[in-house]
Amino acid sequence: MKYLRRIIYTLICVMLFFSFNTMAEGDENGDKKKGKTKSIALCVLTEREKKDEIIKGIFEINKPLCWKLVDYKIGGHVSKLVAHSEVVESLEEYKNETLNFIKEKTGNDYGRQVELISFIEYFYTQVGEKIENPDSKTWPQVKVGSVGNSGIGLSLGSAYDLDQRFNLPSREESRYFKERVDSEFESCEAPFEKIADGLNGYRIGYDEMIHQDNIYTSQVLEAHWDKYDKKARVQTLLDLMADDSINKWRGHYKDDHLVGPPKTQYFFLHPTLIYEWIEEEPDGSKDKASLALEIFGFNRWDARMPWGASFTLVGSDRINFDPVSPAVSFYLFNKYSFGFSFRNGKNGFDDEVGFYVNFDLLSFGRETKKGYDRHIEKLSRF
Amino acid sequence: MKRIILIHGMGTHPKGNMKEEFKRGMKTGLSQFGLSGGQIEFGFSKMDVIEYNFSEFFDEKRKELAEYADATRRGLSVSPSNWVERVHTEVTKVGQGLDDGSMLATSWLDVALYCNTYLGEMIRSQLATLLCQSMKEFGNDKVHVVAHSLGTSLLHDTLHKLFRDDSEFRDGISDYPVGEFNIESVWWLANVSRLTSLVSGQKKPYESRAINGRFGCIEHIVNVANKYDPFTWLRQYDPTQHPQHVPSYTRNIEQTSVKSWNPHKFENYVAHPEVAIRMIQRFSTLDVSRYISDESVKEAVSLYEADSLPGAVEELGRQIRPLTGDPDSIKFKDIVTAVKKVFDEVNELKEEYERDNKPAEGGES
């Protein structure tokens, strides 16, 4: 039976070798993912938006404002102070050009002209105020839709004063927009959305930056979670709940933002099957399939060399030793596990240290029902 | 084009089912106003409807847990009996039968998996990615989210974490500044976020940033509850209780009809005329100005409620009313027991009703 020990050690070495290879592949994939940063196109309309004369026209007038806002927000080649004064000086100009453009395109025939002009003036005033007081306001965004029981209108949304809303003309009132709806079923909302999109164009560069940044960070988080779900050790429902409580208690999960997976997994009353070998047992009874219950354990699943340990109880009827003994289990690479049981001797036998390999060691990774069945059958033969 | 994201609730939801239920429900609700098929189809043509489905993932996890426990139990045969085996047996019972399809397994276990395991944060990250991508592609002012049941908790918790007061560009955290990228509308159908926040440790809904206005992340909030849905009786959610809500942009709709033996059903929530007409108005450019007045809505709702199931379930309401307030003393265990009791009684009523040879319908939550 001493050969058995050698065989087991050899087996562990072979598995470690394969695990290193797997780990190297994982790192390579991770690096590839990190390198996938998309280029950011700022202050550029989409192809679809470019085709619409209203959106394109208003946007082109406000394009310099778009670039200044990008500089203002992330610090480009213009300092915050210069951007501030430049933007404020130009706002009046943008506003007048925008209004002239709309009048020209619609032939003053878009309905409720005075109210619309007043709303656009209000919009530019709010942009100016945001520049003056960056912390007390939000960058205005023109919204189209109904509020409460009112009809469709333009507004700056729930962050702004509702009184400054512009109620859209009906189709009968607005000849220009009546001619531009897609179907008899459509409200005037769609054509007015184009005015809103054009005015909102001043912040598309800023929006694009924030979206790209958030898409990238959330995709990275998602990839980490995916890795955790696929690579970390399998947990039972009890493990999962204990793990969650401990990681919450340790402050891993944050109240105010999303986080990736914890670095350490925890296990509580985790049942496993083991194959235990005790030198001092009589021939034919030295090796035996047994039960193990990991009372409490942890696993550093994403360490450079993933490892873990747990305090375990091992139970099996033995000839020269007590049936239950404390043990320590170790895990490597989220896959392999072995341990040592500290057996109390009886019938005049001294205490002895037994060696065991965990069921997971035999399974080469995550168990499936069929996998378990196969291994249970094998173990039963011993 | 507007992006509509649907988020399902507890239980098993095959991919695509929710989308179908959504369209079917909308058609039922809109037909009460006399809208033509052409009008409804025109409305749908302006929507890009997708569903965020975490059910497949949860189903898989339930199955994995059950199989693991089951295989370990069968592994007991390799060992003689001693007390380790007894503990082993008890512990493995926890996982057994988790995929048996019963209400306890598919509904309450989903709540436990969401609230008390890493799966909650994992699916929040997935939903956050979808929200970010949708906002980039369509613009935040053209993104609408409809969440039902457990989906309301998922959405609430994700929004609170995705929009932050101290958001910084390139700070390595996925976050938007509050008030600047408000999602155009959020529809809470059978909102259970106050209930789940009891056990999940997530931000309490009346203190969170999942609200409208300058300090929130939503423009229009519509909260819909069915008077007979037991999930909405317990720690009821009411957005107007949030101190920062903007009244003109916040609406509560209470449904008083029972169209199916499962009053928690998603399709029935959408099929309610007031919900359907306000949704199509918000989600498309269909001209519904003729139908949106209080009078026409009231008329359509009466028409819809005319063939409501008998009011016997009102009795159930009386039984559970003591739990509807907000006493901190209510234990989660009592809530689970109460909901189970209600569903048992609904089933009894259903059987009685069917014995009288009247038509009945059923369905998933």
Side-chain angles (χ1 to χ4, degrees):
Chain A
M1 272 303 160
K2 62 180 126 176
Y3 291 111
L4 179 65
R5 193 184 300 186
R6 284 183 192 167
I7 290 168
I8 290 167
Y9 289 155
T10 314
L11 207 58
I12 292 172
C13 290
V14 171
M15 285 165 185
L16 291 182
F17 172 76
F18 282 115
S19 291
F20 274 123
N21 283 346
T22 318
M23 196 169 63
E25 279 172 27
D27 288 344
E28 199 180 312
N29 290 337
D31 288 340
K32 275 179 195 167
K33 249 174 209 163
K34 273 183 193 171
K36 269 188 187 173
T37 313
K38 288 179 186 172
S39 61
I40 298 177
L42 302 170
C43 295
V44 178
L45 290 178
T46 62
E47 289 307 311
R48 188 170 50 84
E49 287 166 337
K50 276 180 198 164
K51 284 179 188 160
D52 188 89
E53 58 173 357
I54 294 272
I55 300 176
K56 195 180 170 200
I58 302 174
F59 175 73
E60 287 301 325
I61 294 164
N62 291 281
K63 199 170 179 178
L65 182 59
C66 180
W67 280 114
K68 280 170 186 167
L69 177 61
V70 170
D71 286 335
Y72 185 77
K73 284 301 291 181
I74 57 166
H77 30 271
V78 185
S79 77
K80 191 173 171 179
L81 195 64
V82 176
H84 166 262
S85 58
E86 277 188 16
V87 172
V88 172
E89 277 171 22
S90 323
L91 269 178
E92 191 69 15
E93 199 182 313
Y94 300 141
K95 182 182 76 184
N96 291 334
E97 275 190 50
T98 302
L99 288 170
N100 288 337
F101 173 80
I102 293 173
K103 283 176 196 167
E104 184 192 322
K105 284 291 163 194
T106 62
N108 268 342
D109 203 12
Y110 47 87
R112 302 192 184 172
Q113 281 86 340
V114 177
E115 289 96 324
L116 181 61
I117 288 166
S118 162
F119 174 77
I120 293 173
E121 282 173 343
Y122 172 68
F123 161 74
Y124 280 102
T125 309
Q126 296 309 312
V127 176
E129 280 190 18
K130 167 68 180 172
I131 294 163
E132 289 289 348
N133 306 296
D135 297 329
S136 64
K137 294 255 179 183
T138 62
W139 292 108
Q141 186 176 33
V142 180
K143 316 258 185 186
V144 193
S146 64
V147 178
N149 283 334
S150 71
I152 310 284
L154 298 184
S155 73
L156 297 190
S158 60
Y160 282 84
D161 191 355
L162 187 62
D163 294 343
Q164 298 295 332
R165 200 163 171 278
F166 164 70
N167 290 313
L168 259 58
S170 64
R171 279 192 296 185
E172 288 65 37
E173 279 179 278
S174 174
R175 211 159 22 148
Y176 174 81
F177 289 113
K178 188 178 177 181
E179 287 163 9
R180 278 161 181 77
V181 291
D182 283 351
S183 111
E184 54 174 322
F185 302 138
E186 192 160 49
S187 70
C188 271
E189 184 178 343
F192 271 94
E193 261 179 9
K194 289 169 185 170
I195 290 186
D197 287 347
L199 290 170
N200 291 335
Y202 88 98
R203 50 175 277 178
I204 61 168
Y206 166 64
D207 289 6
E208 181 75 14
M209 262 171 10
I210 306 276
H211 288 317
Q212 285 288 8
D213 184 34
N214 284 330
I215 288 172
Y216 176 72
T217 47
S218 59
Q219 279 176 340
V220 168
L221 271 192
E222 213 185 311
H224 280 169
W225 276 113
D226 199 42
K227 186 180 169 191
Y228 179 77
D229 191 52
K230 288 190 170 65
K231 290 207 164 185
R233 272 191 70 202
V234 181
Q235 289 173 299
T236 65
L237 186 60
L238 265 183
D239 291 333
L240 287 171
M241 295 174 94
D243 176 89
D244 189 68
S245 300
I246 296 168
N247 276 311
K248 274 177 184 161
W249 173 72
R250 294 193 67 199
H252 172 74
Y253 294 106
K254 307 293 178 199
D255 177 53
D256 75 334
H257 67 266
L258 293 161
V259 294
K263 287 183 177 167
T264 308
Q265 286 182 288
Y266 295 96
F267 297 84
F268 179 63
L269 298 180
H270 183 94
T272 54
L273 303 177
I274 60 170
Y275 183 60
E276 188 190 20
W277 180 73
I278 303 173
E279 176 77 42
E280 296 305 314
E281 285 283 88
D283 284 349
S285 302
K286 289 180 190 292
D287 50 309
K288 198 164 192 177
S290 312
L291 295 176
L293 192 64
E294 295 174 25
I295 303 298
F296 181 79
F298 68 91
N299 181 40
R300 303 274 294 168
W301 73 279
D302 203 24
R304 203 176 165 81
M305 188 184 85
W307 71 283
S310 72
F311 171 68
T312 307
L313 286 180
V314 170
S316 61
D317 286 343
R318 291 293 190 167
I319 297 166
N320 299 323
F321 299 92
D322 286 346
V324 178
S325 73
V328 178
S329 302
F330 297 96
Y331 321 109
L332 283 173
F333 304 110
N334 302 314
K335 289 182 181 175
Y336 315 121
S337 173
F338 61 93
F340 300 95
S341 54
F342 304 98
R343 291 286 187 173
N344 279 330
K346 63 180 183 183
N347 308 329
F349 275 83
D350 289 339
D351 295 353
E352 175 72 11
V353 175
F355 175 78
Y356 61 84
V357 288
N358 195 295
F359 204 69
D360 287 349
L361 177 65
L362 300 168
S363 68
F364 279 80
R366 277 191 178 243
E367 284 301 343
T368 62
K369 194 176 180 180
K370 280 182 188 165
Y372 254 119
D373 285 344
R374 204 168 54 243
H375 294 309
I376 287 166
E377 204 182 307
K378 278 183 198 166
L379 282 169
S380 305
R381 287 191 210 129
F382 286 101
Chain B
M1 191 67 82
K2 298 180 184 185
R3 162 60 58 90
I4 322 299
I5 302 173
L6 309 176
I7 308 172
H8 63 73
M10 300 171 242
T12 297
H13 298 265
K15 258 187 186 162
N17 258 24
M18 200 184 188
K19 209 165 147 178
E20 279 174 26
E21 278 192 50
F22 171 74
K23 291 198 171 179
R24 216 166 39 228
M26 289 275 276
K27 280 180 185 169
T28 308
L30 294 172
S31 63
Q32 312 296 325
F33 291 90
L35 261 74
S36 68
Q39 279 174 301
I40 296 172
E41 284 310 316
F42 174 80
F44 285 159
S45 72
K46 300 290 175 186
M47 303 179 200
D48 179 90
V49 185
I50 60 161
E51 55 178 64
Y52 169 65
N53 190 304
F54 59 90
S55 159
E56 279 191 336
F57 180 61
F58 270 36
D59 289 348
E60 192 59 37
K61 194 52 75 175
R62 275 197 302 268
K63 200 173 159 197
E64 187 182 298
L65 289 170
E67 284 181 358
Y68 188 84
D70 189 47
T72 313
R73 178 189 58 79
R74 281 180 289 111
L76 291 172
S77 58
V78 304
S79 176
S81 62
N82 56 46
W83 69 267
V84 171
E85 185 201 324
R86 287 199 297 278
V87 178
H88 217 276
T89 311
E90 289 307 313
V91 167
T92 50
K93 269 183 192 168
V94 175
Q96 286 165 30
L98 292 181
D99 61 343
D100 68 0
S102 68
M103 182 200 160
L104 183 71
T106 55
S107 297
W108 290 112
L109 181 66
D110 280 1
V111 175
L113 287 176
Y114 176 74
C115 295
N116 300 109
T117 74
Y118 73 85
L119 300 177
E121 190 78 352
M122 186 172 175
I123 60 172
R124 284 193 286 274
S125 296
Q126 290 173 357
L127 179 60
T129 307
L130 177 63
L131 287 169
C132 295
Q133 284 169 334
S134 298
M135 286 199 281
K136 181 185 181 300
E137 196 180 338
F138 292 82
N140 59 296
D141 57 334
K142 293 181 182 68
V143 173
H144 305 260
V145 192
V146 181
H148 176 239
S149 186
L150 186 60
T152 60
S153 303
L154 168 62
L155 178 64
H156 169 272
D157 302 339
T158 307
L159 289 178
H160 174 73
K161 292 185 171 197
L162 191 57
F163 291 81
R164 302 174 64 233
D165 300 317
D166 44 3
S167 154
E168 290 284 336
F169 181 58
R170 285 187 184 155
D171 57 0
I173 297 173
S174 194
D175 55 1
Y176 286 95
V178 289
E180 287 193 0
F181 290 86
N182 288 6
I183 288 170
E184 191 57 21
S185 77
V186 165
W187 300 70
W188 306 118
L189 310 183
N191 193 316
V192 294
S193 58
R194 290 191 64 230
L195 188 64
T196 56
S197 71
L198 272 181
V199 283
S200 67
Q202 299 296 316
K203 195 73 175 173
K204 289 179 180 165
Y206 294 159
E207 296 167 9
S208 81
R209 294 184 286 266
I211 195 69
N212 39 25
R214 163 79 180 87
F215 303 100
C217 58
I218 307 167
E219 279 299 293
H220 300 272
I221 293 176
V222 185
N223 179 53
V224 190
N226 188 309
K227 194 178 168 186
Y228 300 106
D229 179 354
F231 286 96
T232 65
W233 293 342
L234 311 158
R235 292 178 67 84
Q236 280 175 347
Y237 173 75
D238 175 1
T240 61
Q241 297 298 311
H242 194 297
Q244 285 166 333
H245 83 281
V246 184
S248 322
Y249 289 78
T250 310
R251 183 186 294 276
N252 269 316
I253 298 176
E254 190 191 37
Q255 302 182 347
T256 54
S257 53
V258 180
K259 302 291 282 189
S260 128
W261 289 110
N262 181 357
H264 189 59
K265 196 175 175 182
F266 170 72
E267 186 178 333
N268 290 343
Y269 269 97
V270 180
H272 189 269
E274 186 172 3
V275 175
I277 198 78
R278 294 201 187 281
M279 275 186 174
I280 200 108
Q281 185 196 29
R282 192 70 64 201
F283 299 168
S284 75
T285 51
L286 178 69
D287 188 0
V288 290
S289 49
R290 279 172 52 205
Y291 312 101
I292 206 80
S293 70
D294 285 346
E295 294 74 36
S296 9
V297 169
K298 209 173 163 184
E299 201 178 310
V301 170
S302 320
L303 195 66
Y304 176 75
E305 287 183 347
D307 62 343
S308 181
L309 293 173
V313 281
E314 205 158 13
E315 178 59 33
L316 299 168
R318 278 197 284 279
Q319 288 180 24
I320 208 165
R321 279 293 162 196
L323 292 175
T324 57
D326 191 16
D328 290 336
S329 57
I330 296 175
K331 289 178 185 162
F332 194 72
K333 198 178 78 181
D334 298 335
I335 293 170
V336 174
T337 314
V339 171
K340 192 174 181 310
K341 190 177 169 190
V342 168
F343 270 83
D344 287 346
E345 299 216 16
V346 165
N347 279 334
E348 274 176 33
L349 284 166
K350 180 184 176 184
E351 281 164 20
E352 262 177 44
Y353 187 72
E354 282 169 350
R355 271 200 299 274
D356 294 342
N357 296 322
K358 286 180 184 172
E361 59 172 299
E364 292 267 342
S365 64

